[in-house]
Amino acid sequence: MRIDVLTIFPEFFQVLDVSLLGKARQAALVDTHVHDLRDWTHDVHGTVDDAPFGGGAGMVMKADVWGAALDDVLQPGAHLVIPSPAGTRFTQGQAAELATESQLVFACGRYEGIDARVAQHYAKAGFSVSEVSLGDYVLNGGEVAAFAMIEAITRLIPGFMGNAQSIVEESHSDGLLEYPSYTRPASWRGLDVPEVLLSGHHAKIAQWRHDQQLARTRERRPDLLG
Ligand code: 6GU
């Protein structure tokens, strides 16, 4: 998979080289390219934004600058991802879908977002375009959100994780939160590991874990149970 990131803060993505993502890069599973949006400006100030039509607070990122950049970076069949607090909610299911794409292009907007015609234009031109939000809170820009999405997506690329079972068992892959985990010592500061986990009885352990998943989800995320 090829991943391109367009941002006015390319330094932010230096962290892509470390952590788990660095491993995927070394294994040649992902080929990441970070671009400075200002490379596509033509004025001496490198202007990327302007005042909103209709008035109001903040600045809007200019369609002409984004258009020039995306025309250069989008390859045929690319999926354009625009992080935005006004987008649809990013989920584990969407991460799994995006993990199968040949090219993902993240357009990181700042300020009050990107001129709405940019998403419109590339959808009309035949690209898949997703405006996605991490959750119901506001970040300063799309960079942190893009980074989180890139991590969620790339770890699902086949061959990325050492232990495929740990992906199957983790939170959200079955619509439930993960069960609690423990390791030695069996007793710590007066707190004992649930006895069933020490029993060696695999069916009972599986049943206990499933019950814990349901109880946790009911308590912490009842919205997931519908
Ligand atoms: Cl994707 N962008 C911004 N700016 N804020 C957010 C977000 C995205 N998701 C949650 N908050």
Side-chain angles (χ1 to χ4, degrees):
M1 174 191 289
R2 178 180 166 121
I3 297 179
D4 289 86
V5 179
L6 283 153
T7 171
I8 56 169
F9 297 111
E11 335 77 70
F12 185 91
F13 289 89
Q14 281 171 11
V15 261
L16 278 176
D17 289 326
V18 292
S19 83
L20 276 177
L21 264 170
K23 279 189 209 159
R25 267 180 129 175
Q26 280 156 29
L29 292 170
V30 276
D31 179 23
T32 47
H33 300 261
V34 180
H35 312 271
D36 188 341
L37 181 70
R38 291 195 207 275
D39 290 348
W40 283 274
T41 60
H42 296 291
D43 62 316
V44 286
H45 301 111
T47 307
V48 293
D49 61 338
D50 202 344
F53 277 122
M59 300 288 267
V60 178
M61 295 189 98
K62 292 162 63 63
D64 57 346
V65 176
W66 276 106
L70 289 167
D71 284 350
D72 281 351
V73 169
L74 287 166
Q75 297 175 4
H79 195 129
L80 174 60
V81 182
I82 305 176
S84 163
T88 59
R89 181 71 147 266
F90 182 68
T91 62
Q92 185 70 11
Q94 191 177 15
E97 278 171 30
L98 293 174
T100 68
E101 298 279 15
S102 57
Q103 188 196 19
L104 299 177
V105 176
F106 288 86
C108 299
R110 284 262 137 181
Y111 320 113
E112 307 307 306
I114 300 171
D115 188 306
R117 290 168 295 185
V118 173
Q120 245 184 325
H121 168 77
Y122 288 99
K124 232 170 103 183
F127 292 97
S128 301
V129 179
S130 303
E131 291 185 70
V132 269
S133 167
L134 287 190
D136 298 337
Y137 44 84
V138 179
L139 306 167
N140 284 332
E143 283 80 8
V144 167
F147 195 81
M149 293 179 208
I150 289 170
E151 189 161 302
I153 293 162
T154 53
R155 61 193 293 285
L156 298 178
I157 296 172
F160 179 65
M161 290 259 289
N163 179 4
Q165 189 62 24
S166 62
I167 282 184
V168 176
E169 285 182 6
E170 70 198 1
S171 290
H172 298 295
S173 58
D174 59 0
L176 297 174
L177 301 185
E178 197 168 10
Y179 51 78
S181 296
Y182 307 87
T183 187
R184 281 175 288 200
S187 185
W188 178 73
R189 299 193 182 181
L191 299 171
D192 294 339
V193 169
E195 224 174 281
V196 61
L197 298 178
L198 312 175
S199 70
H201 194 303
H202 297 299
K204 275 189 186 158
I205 291 170
Q207 182 61 52
W208 180 86
R209 284 177 167 165
H210 185 69
D211 292 346
Q212 290 289 310
Q213 283 192 281
L214 279 171
R216 257 191 176 181
T217 308
R218 207 176 293 122
E219 168 149 338
R220 299 178 179 180
R221 294 294 306 278
D223 56 299
L224 294 178
L225 295 172

